[in-house]
Structures are given as structure tokens and as C-alpha cells.
Amino acid sequence: MEARVAPMAAHTGYRLIKLGEQLLDLAEHTLEATAVRPRHLNVLVTLLEHAELSQLELSALLGIDVNTMVTVIDHLEREGLAVRERNPRDRRRHVVWVTEAGRAEAERDTVLMRTAEAEFFSVLTSGEQTHLHDLTGCLLRLPAAVVPDS
Amino acid sequence: MEARVAPMAAHTGYRLIKLGEQLLDLAEHTLEATAVRPRHLNVLVTLLEHAELSQLELSALLGIDVNTMVTVIDHLEREGLAVRERNPRDRRRHVVWVTEAGRAEAERDTVLMRTAEAEFFSVLTSGEQTHLHDLTGCLLRLPAAVVPDS
DNA sequence: TATTGTTATACTCTATAACTATA
DNA sequence: TATAGTTATAGAGTATAACAATA
């Protein structure tokens, strides 16, 4: 008795698309009870690491449309997690920075995400997880310097 | 001079989401000049492998909403790639089957996809590609019997 | 005249529910 | 009464282009 399988699953590319869908669903579900959704957490964490980014730089770095970025930061401001200010040296630009509440939210949510991911990947051994981490980093052309996920 | 990187890239889960997005974009772009889009090819290939599937069974197997499946098969019929027929043993059900033109389309498009994917994964060695194939299969709980992508 | 951010619009995708035909 | 498929509708997400402020 063999279970039916989608033949496209023979393609590694298809597998990665499916995994991406599952992991995005996992992220949405994990953050369900929080004030943010995955996209907002991504922006918060990025702002904590790279201070002084304009919205345009944020958009380029995260691959989020500039248009969408406006509403993401609208939401963060409304929730008191981030603040927009004019850049005094170029008043066309906004500098976005994270409030203390935003930092706390990001730290709490990062723990939630790490726990959920650990569970998701637990079917693999620790060594396999590291290997997957490295292979995906290579495909994304990430510099080796990126802190490993452990 | 180090390039700025999205800090979330430290999470393997985030990496897989990003790769999934890139690979879906790649699939869309690869099939741009054809009569189908990735979802239609997925259905065609599945019907060639598993004859006699109803639309409901197709939906469940591929994770495509029953609702969406209607429009996908509408498109395949309009393009002359598949045909819907009533199942004589249960006239509520449709049996969907692929025409000769549909088979040719699927075979041509599968070659296009394999070529595009080979290019995408070419930054990895052959052994690394196989390892990635196996790791993703494990995470998706695929039976080991699935034909490898080589 | 070009750039940053915002707003408006339309287009796609998806999700819910109502509807039909069959069982 | 339940099920397979279809259609209608509304909601979210995204993409394009116009717009305001500033350089």
C-alpha cells in the first residue's frame, strides 16, 4: 500500500517551494497571538541590527515592495513598536527606529520562532540541520559570516 | 566592506521561505512563453502519473483549493490540454484526463523546468544537490521511493 | 529634474458560502 | 441528507501609476 505522491516532488525546486509554504504558514501561526505578523518581525529585527535605515533601503534589503513597506511601518507605529522621523540631513527620507516595546516584542517573538522552527526541523539530526543551513545559505549567496541558526 | 544582510537569514526557516519564493519566480519565468503556468503543469504531470483522479482527489494531493482547481482545469480544457468527463459510475464526479497535446506540452515544459533548475542549483556540487534533495524529502515526509531529481 | 515617501487604483489570489446535480 | 463540482462574492495582497515634499 503506497501513498500517492505529487510527481513534481521529484524536483528539488518543487520541494523547496512546498517547504517555503509550510514554513510561512508555521510563522503566521506561531505569531498568531502577538501584535505582529512575520513581515513586521522581519522589519523589527532588521532595524535592531541596522540602525538608521531609510524605508527604501529596508525595502531593498528585505525584498519587500516600497509600497507594502509603508503599511508595515504604519502598523509598527500604531502598535508603538517603531517610530518614523524625518532625516534632518535629507528631509525627504524617513529614519525608522525601534522603541523599547518594539525591542521587547522582537526578542519575545524571536524565541517563539526559534522554538517552532526547532520543532519543525527536529526530524533531522543536528548535523543534517547544519548541513541544510549551509546549503541554503550557499544557494542564497549569503556571506559565510552570517551567524548560524543554532 | 561587508554587504548588509537581512538578520532573519540566520534562521534556516527564513532561508527556505526565500528560496521557495525565488524558485516559484523562476518557474513562472521559465514557463512564460508556454500555454501553462506552474500550477497547470503540476496538474498535467500529476494526471499523467495517476490516471482517473477526480478533481477532489487532485486538490487534496496537490494542496490546491478545490475552488482554484476548477479554474485550473477550465484553463487546461480551453487550451486543449485536458478533458473533463463524467464518471459513469458516479455521475457527480469528473474524471480528468490529458490529451495528446497535453502530454506533449507537459514533456516540453518539464525539460524547460529541469534545465532552469539545473542552472539554479549549479552553485552546489552534484553531491550537495543530492544531499539537499534527500534532506528536503525527509522534511516533507516523502517516501524514499520518489524518483530522485537527476 | 530627480528622489523619497504616500496615496489611489486596479488586478490577482484566495476563502466562504450559496447553488446544481447527483447519490 | 450528503457529496462533487460550480459559481458568486468579498477580502487580502500586490503592482502601477499619480502625487506631494524635498533635494
Side-chain angles (χ1 to χ4, degrees), chain A residues 36 39-54 58 62 69 72-73 75-85 94-110, chain B residues 7:
Chain A
V36 296
R39 174 168 299 169
H40 306 109
L41 178 59
N42 190 10
V43 170
L44 275 185
V45 167
T46 303
L47 288 172
L48 286 170
E49 191 95 352
H50 303 291
E52 296 276 323
L53 289 181
S54 71
L58 262 177
L62 303 184
M69 186 58 73
V72 171
I73 298 179
H75 177 81
L76 292 177
E77 267 201 318
R78 217 176 313 116
E79 296 286 332
L81 305 174
V83 176
R84 253 189 276 236
E85 271 177 5
H94 283 158
V95 176
V96 188
W97 51 274
V98 178
T99 65
E100 200 40 58
R103 173 186 300 274
E105 178 77 38
E107 282 167 4
R108 251 182 292 125
D109 296 345
T110 296

Side-chain angles (χ1 to χ4, degrees), chain A:
Chain A
M1 172 83 75
E2 70 174 297
R4 272 197 281 242
V5 170
M8 286 290 276
H11 294 248
T12 308
Y14 182 80
R15 294 183 176 192
L16 287 168
I17 292 171
K18 280 294 164 197
L19 281 175
E21 288 173 3
Q22 289 187 14
L23 281 156
L24 190 55
D25 287 348
L26 179 67
E28 291 281 2
H29 182 257
T30 301
L31 299 178
E32 216 161 38
T34 74
V36 296
R37 296 180 53 189
R39 174 168 299 169
H40 306 109
L41 178 59
N42 190 10
V43 170
L44 275 185
V45 167
T46 303
L47 288 172
L48 286 170
E49 191 95 352
H50 303 291
E52 296 276 323
L53 289 181
S54 71
Q55 291 183 204
L56 214 64
E57 290 166 323
L58 262 177
S59 294
L61 182 59
L62 303 184
I64 298 175
D65 195 90
V66 287
N67 199 344
T68 306
M69 186 58 73
V70 173
T71 66
V72 171
I73 298 179
D74 281 349
H75 177 81
L76 292 177
E77 267 201 318
R78 217 176 313 116
E79 296 286 332
L81 305 174
V83 176
R84 253 189 276 236
E85 271 177 5
R86 290 280 169 190
N87 181 334
R89 288 193 302 275
D90 180 348
R91 292 187 46 74
R92 291 173 304 185
R93 291 169 187 253
H94 283 158
V95 176
V96 188
W97 51 274
V98 178
T99 65
E100 200 40 58
R103 173 186 300 274
E105 178 77 38
E107 282 167 4
R108 251 182 292 125
D109 296 345
T110 296
V111 171
L112 292 179
M113 287 302 304
R114 286 202 180 279
T115 305
E117 283 188 17
E119 163 76 18
F120 184 91
F121 291 110
S122 66
V123 67
L124 300 181
T125 68
S126 168
E128 287 171 334
Q129 291 183 30
T130 301
H131 205 156
L132 179 63
H133 188 78
D134 294 342
L135 291 170
T136 51
C138 187
L139 285 172
L140 289 170
R141 307 297 198 287
L142 292 179
V146 173
V147 184
D149 180 23
S150 66

